[in-house]
Amino acid sequence: MESLFPLVILAFWAVVFAVRKIAKEQGATRDLSRQADAYSAQGNLSLEEHTVQALVKKVEREGGPNGIEVGIYLRRLARVKMKQRDQAAAIPILQRVLSIQESHLGPNSTDLLQTLDWLAQLLRAKGDSDGSVAMLRRMLAIQSVTFGKNDLRSAAVHNTLGLVLHRKGAAEEAIQAFRRALEVREKNPDCPENDLAVSLNNLGNVLLQQNQVEEAEPILRQALSVYCNFVLPDCPDLVSPLTGLAELLWKKGDYAAAEPLFRQAIEIQEKAFGAEDPRLISTLVPLSRMLTQKQDYAGAEPLLRRTLALQEKSGPSDSLTVAETLEALAAALRAKGELAESVVMQRRVLAIKEKLMPPQSPAISTTIGTLGRTLWQQHQYAEAETYMRRALEIGEAAGEPANVFVSNQLLNLGQLLQEKGDFASAEPHVWRSLALREKALGADHLACAQALETLAALRMAQADPKGAVPLLRQALSVKEKGLKPTDPQIAATLVNLAVTLPQAGPLDESEALLRRALLIYENAFGSEHRATASTVFQLAAFLHRRGKFADAEPLYRRALALTEKLYGPEHAETAGVMGMLAKLLHATGDVTGARLLMGHAYKVASKTLGERHSTTVDMKNTLNGLMMKSVSLQVN
């Protein structure tokens, strides 16, 4: 018994020394941890990282590389890396943490949630959508097992999953995720209103992007209503629901309701961030696009100029984003007739695209083609033709996928050559344009009608009305199939056909065609529109030529009143109508009335068209004849 005593004593002291050693090591670990905390509080990430790495090595030596304590400090190290924005280093550390946690705690432990959340964030930022989705789905599985599928905490994960899926392009899956987030939040009375509003806004916007407008509208309206419950009227949080609902109304064609919402969003941003903050771009762009679509170019132009200034201030002036805004601004200026500045903008767009894109890029060919068309509108035929042929060459090199683009360039080039008087060169281009359109779009597509009418114009320019009539009939047939009977585009073809028929032979349809066109224009534009006035005049002129003077005179007088109101009394259009009415009065025996009217028409024409213009010369000759007849009548 006595011999055992020394052994007991030795064992006792061994335990004492072991406990002291453990206590000492634990104390050292606590000291290192406190030091890391101190560096973190100071914001000294470099020293915090160095200290945490020492902690990791220490616990690895003491407990092995896969001990739970290693996982604890590795996760802290990953957090430091995240603060340093070193995603590449943080991801493998967290993956190792996840493996350690799973081995010690099991795959459904709630302790995994933070690690999975961080991994999901980092993988999403890295562009690894699939990896991020996998982490988020694991989080949802753990939450469902532990807390139940309708636990409020899962809503945030569903919402994030929706955002990642949407970014990935999986729209239907994103909608399901957003629906689930909203469902969970609506079932929980403790859900904060701001979270509910976020879910409504996200779901409404992705439905809108998928053109599910009817379902999106009540959701977006509810989102805006909920936001208004808990934020002030000038809070920037209102910008997203305002612009979301505005874009929906725009898509529905309700411009009047959409515009004030866009402008309210801009006003909030200006008040919150200042008038020169780049964040305004996100609202200025859709509003300018909407105004352009509704052909309010005067309203769109200042918004586009402002967008351009903000883009140039906040980033490089030769980016593709800047080019896109310049292109939209150039289009607005072109539509307003400000061609010179539009050309300047288009040249700058082309320079940017040629710098940043391959030379055969479709985006470059589109810009070149548009520039060529604008130069043509400026009557700069030589340069316009060069650009058109260059655009055509790029399009043809792209093969069949570019058939529609090539057909557009061929038509533009044909019209330019027609305007130059080179009919022989123009016509093959237009025929080829028509063939490509029929192949790519179908023979009944409205684009084919445009080519057919251009071919008819070419036939007329070559004094071939018989060749023009079947082309116009075919164009009319295409439009009648593709448009409503009341569409003004049909009226334009009716007028062209009515004017051409009398020159082609004894086809007496013109009056009916003109009356149908007039009815369409009056219903579409009203009785005081330029198209209405022109058609009234064409109908009067037709009846005049047919000898129906009594029917023609009131129409001429109506056309004259309209042109005076629309163009002014001293305009060439007014003079033309006045001259024709004077000729009709002459035909009915009212020589004095005809002479006075023709005298005034000649005076306006000589001032506006010049003495050598064919219309002015004709008026002068007619006036001389009327004056001689008037003198003859006085003598007799």
Side-chain angles (χ1 to χ4, degrees), residues 324-398:
E324 186 178 354
T325 304
L326 282 165
E327 208 148 27
L329 180 55
L333 291 167
R334 188 171 67 249
K336 288 176 64 183
E338 298 175 22
L339 302 179
E341 189 176 4
S342 179
V343 165
V344 171
M345 299 279 181
Q346 289 173 52
R347 291 190 194 280
R348 187 176 162 196
V349 171
L350 182 57
I352 292 172
K353 288 186 176 181
E354 287 180 327
K355 179 181 177 182
L356 300 176
M357 294 179 169
Q360 298 299 311
S361 169
I364 289 180
S365 62
T366 300
T367 302
I368 292 169
T370 305
L371 178 54
R373 186 172 179 82
T374 312
L375 289 165
W376 165 33
Q377 289 176 279
Q378 286 188 296
H379 308 296
Q380 298 182 34
Y381 297 117
E383 190 177 10
E385 185 174 344
T386 299
Y387 278 111
M388 286 182 181
R389 291 191 184 279
R390 182 180 165 197
L392 182 60
E393 182 183 344
I394 296 174
E396 288 177 322

Side-chain angles (χ1 to χ4, degrees), residues 497-528:
L497 180 57
V499 171
T500 306
L501 279 170
Q503 303 175 59
L507 297 170
D508 196 11
E509 301 172 53
S510 294
E511 182 176 350
L513 294 171
L514 287 167
R515 290 193 184 279
R516 182 181 162 197
L518 179 57
L519 184 62
I520 292 172
Y521 280 138
E522 286 176 328
N523 288 334
F525 301 136
S527 59
E528 295 187 351

